[in-house]
Amino acid sequence: AYKRFSELLPKEERENACSARVPKSQILTLPELRANPFQHRICHVFSTSETGDDSMSFEDFLDMLSVFSDSATSDIKSHYAFRIFDFDDDGTLDRKDLEQLVNCLTGQGEESRLSSTEMEQLIQNILEESDIDKDGTINPSEFQHVVSRSPDFARCGGLQR
């Protein structure tokens, strides 16, 4: 992990990799993130940057790798998946978050985008299945409940396309 992290830094900064921050643009060159539809959200969620540039420290990088590792528990994976899918960072998945989530999964191209009717029906289906308290949003415990019923989630982390 240290070797991969330091290779993302300019040569002159590699000796101090433990105290350096890798810019988001470099993190996004990792093959594991390059094709991930949630790449920007992943950087945002794992970055501890105080400037909001989504750069990563070595510790941030380790946290990200550990969550995506096979040994991470389903609870850990679902906690971070929820944060990644919570596009407005308000602690719930509302209709806007769900729409962005669907758009990330289906792609932004005209041919793959859902019609507004299809999108509304899909979001309605997701809420009917997941929104236990019927408040129009999915909270972390409701998300955890849905994930616990999905055997594929733990295997693939819920974040792969």
Side-chain angles (χ1 to χ4, degrees):
Y2 181 80
K3 184 177 186 298
R4 285 195 78 191
F5 181 80
S6 63
E7 287 171 351
L8 295 170
L9 291 164
K11 283 189 175 27
E12 63 274 6
E13 291 183 38
R14 289 183 184 167
E15 286 179 26
N16 300 317
C18 281
S19 60
R21 296 194 72 82
V22 171
K24 176 182 174 180
S25 59
Q26 280 301 107
I27 297 292
L28 293 177
T29 65
L30 291 168
E32 297 86 346
L33 288 180
R34 204 175 300 139
N36 191 306
F38 302 103
Q39 58 181 219
H40 296 286
R41 287 295 303 161
I42 291 168
C43 288
H44 178 75
V45 165
F46 286 98
S47 173
T48 57
S49 171
E50 292 177 9
T51 64
D53 65 0
D54 295 343
S55 63
M56 285 193 193
S57 67
F58 181 55
E59 280 190 37
D60 297 340
F61 187 72
L62 284 178
D63 287 346
M64 180 181 70
L65 292 181
S66 68
V67 168
F68 286 107
S69 79
D70 291 339
S71 58
T73 65
S74 178
D75 286 353
I76 294 287
K77 288 181 183 294
S78 69
H79 169 81
Y80 281 95
F82 182 89
R83 289 187 56 205
I84 289 164
F85 300 159
D86 182 14
F87 289 87
D88 58 10
D89 296 318
D90 69 352
T92 64
L93 303 183
D94 58 19
R95 288 179 170 274
K96 273 194 147 137
D97 292 318
L98 295 173
E99 187 172 334
Q100 282 188 267
L101 171 58
V102 170
N103 283 335
C104 280
L105 292 172
T106 59
Q108 298 298 321
E110 205 58 46
E111 70 286 342
S112 61
R113 185 173 288 136
L114 297 182
S115 72
S116 57
T117 306
E118 292 168 325
M119 179 67 79
E120 184 53 39
Q121 184 60 57
L122 180 56
I123 289 173
Q124 196 56 44
N125 292 349
I126 293 168
L127 289 172
E128 281 174 20
E129 180 76 21
S130 311
D131 183 16
I132 297 165
D133 63 9
K134 302 299 179 208
D135 68 350
T137 66
I138 301 167
N139 65 39
S141 62
E142 291 168 331
F143 185 79
Q144 179 73 41
H145 178 73
V146 169
V147 165
S148 70
R149 299 182 326 200
S150 173
D152 286 344
F153 186 88
R155 184 179 48 76
C156 68
L159 301 173
Q160 280 81 17
R161 192 169 186 170

